Amino acid sequence: MWSAAFGFAAVHPVPLQPNPDPKTCLECHEDKTKGKAVHSAIQMGCTACHEIRVNKDITRVKLITSTPQALCITCHADKDASTIKGTVHPPAVRDCIKCHDPHESDNKNQLLKAESGDKGKNLCLDCHTQGLNVPEKGSRHAALDMGCDACHTTHKTGEAGKIEFDKHLTKAIPALCIDCHDVKDEALIKTHQGQPFGTANCLECHDPHQSASPKLMAKIVHPPFADKDGCTTCHAPGKDGKVVLTQANVKDLCVTCHSDKAELIEKAKVQHPGAAGDCTDCHNPHASAQPGLPKTNGVDICLACHSDQADQFKKAHLHQPAFKQRCSICHEPHGGDNEHLLRAKKTNDLCLECHGPDSKPKALESEHMVAIFNGTVRLPEDYFKKNKVVVLPIKFGRGHPIEGHPISDLTDPTDITKIRAKIECLSCHQPHASAQPDLLVKDQANNMAFCSSCHKDLTKR
């Protein structure tokens, strides 16, 4: 019935009447009504979902809609991804039967497999790898053995940016964590150096699935926090259930080690207003999954203030570093010398750091990273290969998008001090996102109409 499932009219092996009694179907398909979880729609009759066509004594069966997804949302409208605000589990966007059997199953919610067990038995582990590749000296959350549904509700959605909804959690953090981890447990209190942790965001320090470090510590740990005796560098003993610092305020505490950042913030030609507040407005002082210790991640931490760029996030085609890595790849987060806090004075120099023929990221083998912008930005060692970063065949300022096409300002041949045509990467491309491929300006498609916006006579190069 593969073709029927995808909307094609499959030839039925037995002739049928156009509107058969459901009992007729059950003479052969009785197995569809048995199982621990049976789809309630079966009570409505087979023709509630299937269409039977009879033509010249040939019986064909297909779904009453063009796709399984379209059929499912006729009843399950609350699962229609086009109307949901927030993060939707990717298979649920277009393919319900990737996870659910449309008739019956031995698993709740008619899932094809259980949400617990090892790979091969666990439905979630068909796509996800959490807990499967724990490093030798790492740690694995014991909650994984309880099943993924112990912490996750796959179809839970809500306000974008809230981890409860983005990660489809059964509860918000830390309520979910303290269901199992008693805040009055003496061992936990000792581990946390007596500091109040019952109201903290556990995920700022811990990976909820697995880690290369003991105690599920996040990938990148702040050095004082990594030192077992380092807590007293920043903290005095907790008082009345509140955190107490060794300095009068957060900024005074941070600059005892990071005086270079304080100087940069103060003396920068182009200042970042966000950097003028407390360091912990943006940074987690303990640990993070990303370089620079952002409290959420290197993108969302910026979008919290830069709502205009948050709107760009809704477009279909996103610039990988801007929305998949972190804003600080291209921008100086604390302040800098260039417009828009860019890491290079000229836009082209910024873009060609990754896309230019002379781009040579420095390998940091011991850290499994590569560095760009003179070592100020670090990326995973497989970043360029994994993301298929395009290197442009540019020579002497020409060569993109076709051979001989200039990528920088054209000078007047009669007077090289004058610019005949101002050209840079942003003449054609948007830096963050676009509704069309190739990130072309004004969300335009890559066609002759786009080229003719500059080249009025398309017979000339």
Side-chain angles (χ1 to χ4, degrees):
M1 296 294 286
W2 178 89
S3 56
F6 286 86
F8 302 107
V11 176
H12 195 268
V14 178
L16 295 172
Q17 295 298 317
N19 294 298
D21 188 302
K23 293 180 181 179
T24 303
C25 300
L26 296 181
E27 289 177 5
C28 294
H29 300 290
E30 188 180 10
D31 60 312
K32 302 299 182 186
T33 67
K34 295 183 178 180
K36 294 180 180 178
V38 178
H39 193 188
S40 58
I42 289 180
Q43 300 299 321
M44 299 162 60
C46 303
T47 53
C49 297
H50 297 280
E51 179 182 349
I52 297 172
R53 295 181 177 181
V54 180
N55 184 20
K56 296 181 180 180
D57 297 325
I58 297 176
T59 300
R60 297 180 185 276
V61 180
K62 66 182 288 293
L63 296 180
I64 62 174
T65 58
S66 58
T67 65
Q69 179 79 5
L71 177 61
C72 296
I73 63 176
T74 58
C75 291
H76 302 281
D78 60 319
K79 303 296 191 295
D80 185 354
S82 65
T83 64
I84 295 174
K85 293 183 179 180
T87 303
V88 179
H89 189 221
V93 174
R94 63 184 65 188
D95 197 359
C96 305
I97 59 175
K98 188 169 184 177
C99 296
H100 300 276
D101 188 292
H103 300 106
E104 59 79 33
S105 171
D106 286 336
N107 305 299
K108 67 176 184 178
N109 300 319
Q110 296 157 235
L111 292 175
L112 298 176
K113 298 178 185 178
E115 294 177 282
S116 59
D118 298 329
K119 185 174 177 63
K121 296 181 180 179
N122 187 322
L123 177 65
C124 303
L125 297 183
D126 284 349
C127 295
H128 301 282
T129 60
Q130 281 86 345
L132 298 180
N133 53 356
V134 181
E136 183 179 352
K137 295 184 179 180
S139 50
R140 178 181 180 276
H141 196 185
L144 293 175
D145 296 328
M146 298 166 59
C148 303
D149 55 343
C151 297
H152 298 278
T153 302
T154 307
H155 290 285
K156 185 174 182 179
T157 52
E159 184 181 344
K162 287 191 174 181
I163 193 167
E164 175 184 358
F165 303 116
D166 288 351
K167 301 300 183 183
H168 316 298
L169 301 179
T170 58
K171 291 183 180 180
I173 304 297
L176 176 60
C177 303
I178 62 179
D179 272 352
C180 294
H181 300 283
D182 185 358
V183 295
K184 297 180 181 179
D185 184 287
E186 290 296 332
L188 276 179
I189 294 172
K190 183 178 180 181
T191 297
H192 290 88
Q193 301 281 329
Q195 297 295 333
F197 61 90
T199 56
N201 181 352
C202 308
L203 300 185
E204 288 185 348
C205 296
H206 299 281
D207 188 301
H209 300 108
Q210 66 179 58
S211 172
S213 305
K215 300 184 184 297
L216 294 171
M217 290 309 305
K219 185 177 180 180
I220 298 172
V221 181
H222 193 203
F225 182 63
D227 183 352
K228 290 184 178 180
D229 298 321
C231 297
T232 55
T233 303
C234 302
H235 293 280
K239 185 178 181 180
D240 299 328
K242 296 182 180 180
V243 172
V244 179
L245 302 178
T246 56
Q247 299 292 329
N249 56 61
V250 171
K251 179 156 283 189
D252 287 348
L253 177 60
C254 296
V255 299
T256 57
C257 293
H258 301 286
S259 58
D260 57 323
K261 298 301 183 186
E263 185 177 357
L264 173 61
I265 292 169
E266 182 181 350
K267 296 182 178 180
K269 292 180 181 178
V270 180
Q271 295 196 336
H272 183 198
D278 282 343
C279 306
T280 52
D281 290 344
C282 298
H283 298 280
N284 184 342
H286 301 114
S288 175
Q290 297 192 30
L293 301 174
K295 290 183 73 172
T296 51
N297 59 58
V299 177
D300 290 343
I301 197 68
C302 300
L303 297 184
C305 292
H306 297 278
S307 57
D308 56 330
Q309 296 305 327
D311 290 337
Q312 294 281 316
F313 199 7
K314 300 174 184 177
K315 293 186 177 181
H317 300 274
L318 306 177
H319 190 200
Q320 212 278 344
F323 284 107
K324 299 295 185 180
Q325 292 292 321
R326 57 188 188 275
C327 303
S328 61
I329 289 179
C330 298
H331 299 277
E332 295 274 8
H334 296 102
D337 294 334
N338 305 313
E339 189 177 10
H340 303 302
L341 298 173
L342 294 176
R343 289 190 178 274
K345 187 173 184 179
K346 295 182 179 179
T347 302
N348 281 16
D349 291 342
L350 183 79
C351 301
L352 296 180
E353 182 72 17
C354 291
H355 297 289
D358 298 324
S359 174
K360 294 180 179 178
K362 183 180 178 182
L364 305 174
E365 295 181 0
S366 63
E367 302 175 45
H368 301 289
M369 306 280 279
V370 293
I372 57 177
F373 291 115
N374 294 322
T376 57
V377 173
R378 299 184 178 193
L379 298 166
E381 61 184 348
D382 63 345
Y383 176 81
F384 287 85
K385 181 179 180 180
K386 180 180 179 180
N387 295 295
K388 300 178 181 178
V389 177
V390 175
V391 176
L392 303 175
I394 296 169
K395 290 184 179 180
F396 309 114
R398 293 174 178 265
H400 176 68
I402 61 172
E403 184 179 355
H405 192 285
I407 65 161
S408 56
D409 294 345
L410 283 178
T411 57
D412 188 331
T414 63
D415 185 352
I416 60 173
T417 64
K418 295 182 179 179
I419 302 298
R420 189 177 71 181
K422 186 172 180 57
I423 302 174
E424 62 175 1
C425 300
L426 297 185
S427 300
C428 297
H429 298 282
Q430 299 181 87
H432 298 113
S434 175
Q436 298 284 347
D438 303 316
L439 304 179
L440 298 181
V441 295
K442 298 180 181 178
D443 293 344
Q444 296 178 78
N446 187 356
N447 53 30
M448 296 302 289
F450 175 74
C451 297
S452 64
S453 61
C454 289
H455 300 277
K456 304 303 180 185
D457 185 352
L458 295 177
T459 64
K460 297 181 180 180
R461 290 186 63 180

